[in-house]
Amino acid sequence: MRHLALFISASVAALALAGCAQDFDQGPKGRVTEKVKDGKKFYLVVDPANGGDQKKFRVSKYDYHDCNRGSKYPKCIDD
């Protein structure tokens, strides 16, 4: 019985952690032109490398903090 309770609590913890993961679609490759924070939502505005209009899209807080204006998206931290 104790093993069952331990298994159930571990399963609930794993599901809770999986629900916290942020999974946003990746935006276009290009240069970051603007960063926008709206409450707890983070956005980047990118000027696409292949031309076209700038695109605003939602990103994780980690991508938001790793990308500065003028850096290359999606590998901003390495730029």
Side-chain angles (χ1 to χ4, degrees):
M1 191 67 160
R2 183 176 174 167
H3 292 280
L4 180 60
L6 185 60
F7 174 75
I8 290 172
S9 63
S11 297
V12 169
L15 287 174
L17 287 176
C20 294
Q22 294 178 330
D23 187 25
F24 302 110
D25 291 336
Q26 186 173 354
K29 294 180 180 180
R31 292 269 176 200
V32 176
T33 58
E34 190 176 349
K35 295 170 65 169
V36 180
K37 183 178 176 188
D38 182 14
K40 291 187 177 185
K41 296 178 182 175
F42 302 93
Y43 299 90
L44 292 178
V45 179
V46 170
D47 189 12
N50 59 356
D53 296 331
Q54 292 184 353
K55 180 163 171 95
K56 178 181 174 182
F57 54 96
R58 190 168 174 195
V59 294
S60 70
K61 67 179 178 181
Y62 304 106
D63 284 345
Y64 179 84
H65 292 294
D66 288 346
C67 293
N68 296 312
R69 288 175 187 86
S71 62
K72 293 179 189 175
Y73 181 83
K75 299 203 178 239
C76 298
I77 195 81
D78 299 330
D79 195 17

